[in-house]
Amino acid sequence: MITDLNFNAESTTRMKVVVTFMRMFSPPQHASLALPEGWHVQERIQPDVAGYRLLQDRVGREYCWWMRQAASDATLARFLETAPVNIGLLRQEQQIRGFFELDLADPQSVNLSYFGLFPEAIGQGVGRAFLDNVLRLAWRGRPHSVRVNTCTADHPRALALYQQAGFKVMRRVEEVWDVPDRLGIPVPQHLRV
């Protein structure tokens, strides 16, 4: 877990979101959903800090993924070197089209920390199959459950996609975030406080 997110001295934009915490209690029972020809999932990559920031930005910029972006390079480097995570990519041939991060710190309750497509891959009919592939990786170690959360800043179809995949809503929490302006992340007007 990254813990050095202290922004008291810097300019921020305040936003309010509703975070939905979800959980799956059994692996997918249906046949695996195939990705289109030429698409594949590559797991256990080891990005450097710049590469990791690029993945976070390409997937999450429009959805206010700011927390990892706000961490220092040293903190991210430590995280990438020591955290029990499986970071992976969605590729179309050799082009990266999305990424995921599975937090394996609790092997009995795997957390899908990050999941998403690059903008050019949205609408290509790959999101559901990509998620199905990632969930099968999450269940490979036979945990008791797999967790994910989404929020009102996320893609409008994210919540429905997770529910279609078998996640159940456990709780919803309203949170107020102070997004550092230095990140240049566009905070939607309707979420600003």
Side-chain angles (χ1 to χ4, degrees), residues 20-38:
T20 301
F21 295 87
M22 308 176 80
R23 198 175 285 254
M24 282 180 82
F25 294 97
S26 62
Q29 301 300 308
H30 57 272
S32 296
L33 300 180
L35 289 162
E37 187 173 333

Side-chain angles (χ1 to χ4, degrees), residues 37-171:
E37 187 173 333
W39 293 71
H40 66 280
V41 173
Q42 177 186 3
E43 66 169 318
R44 299 208 178 275
I45 66 161
Q46 296 180 316
D48 60 14
V49 169
Y52 184 75
R53 285 193 190 282
L54 179 65
L55 293 172
Q56 286 276 332
D57 186 67
R58 292 282 286 130
V59 173
R61 171 164 286 281
E62 296 304 312
Y63 309 113
C64 300
W65 287 17
W66 65 275
M67 292 179 189
R68 293 277 170 88
Q69 294 287 48
S72 70
D73 284 352
T75 298
L76 279 182
R78 227 176 7 263
F79 167 78
L80 292 169
E81 290 170 13
T82 63
V85 294
N86 180 355
I87 299 171
L89 304 173
L90 173 65
R91 289 188 179 269
Q92 181 184 19
E93 304 300 341
Q94 293 307 309
Q95 297 298 313
I96 298 170
R97 297 294 188 228
F99 97 104
F100 69 89
E101 180 179 310
L102 293 170
D103 179 348
L104 307 171
D106 179 355
Q108 295 307 311
S109 183
V110 173
N111 185 36
L112 178 54
S113 304
Y114 291 96
F115 172 85
L117 299 171
F118 283 10
E120 62 270 20
I122 294 173
Q124 300 294 314
V126 297
R128 194 152 182 231
F130 178 35
L131 179 59
D132 185 68
N133 277 256
V134 171
L135 290 176
R136 290 172 191 280
L137 293 175
W139 283 101
R140 189 170 49 199
R142 299 196 174 128
H144 293 304
S145 66
V146 173
R147 299 173 286 126
V148 71
N149 64 56
T150 186
C151 75
T152 49
D154 229 342
H155 190 282
R157 292 192 303 261
L159 179 62
L161 178 68
Y162 292 134
Q163 289 176 310
Q164 289 168 1
F167 284 96
K168 305 292 182 216
V169 173
M170 303 308 291
R171 64 188 169 104

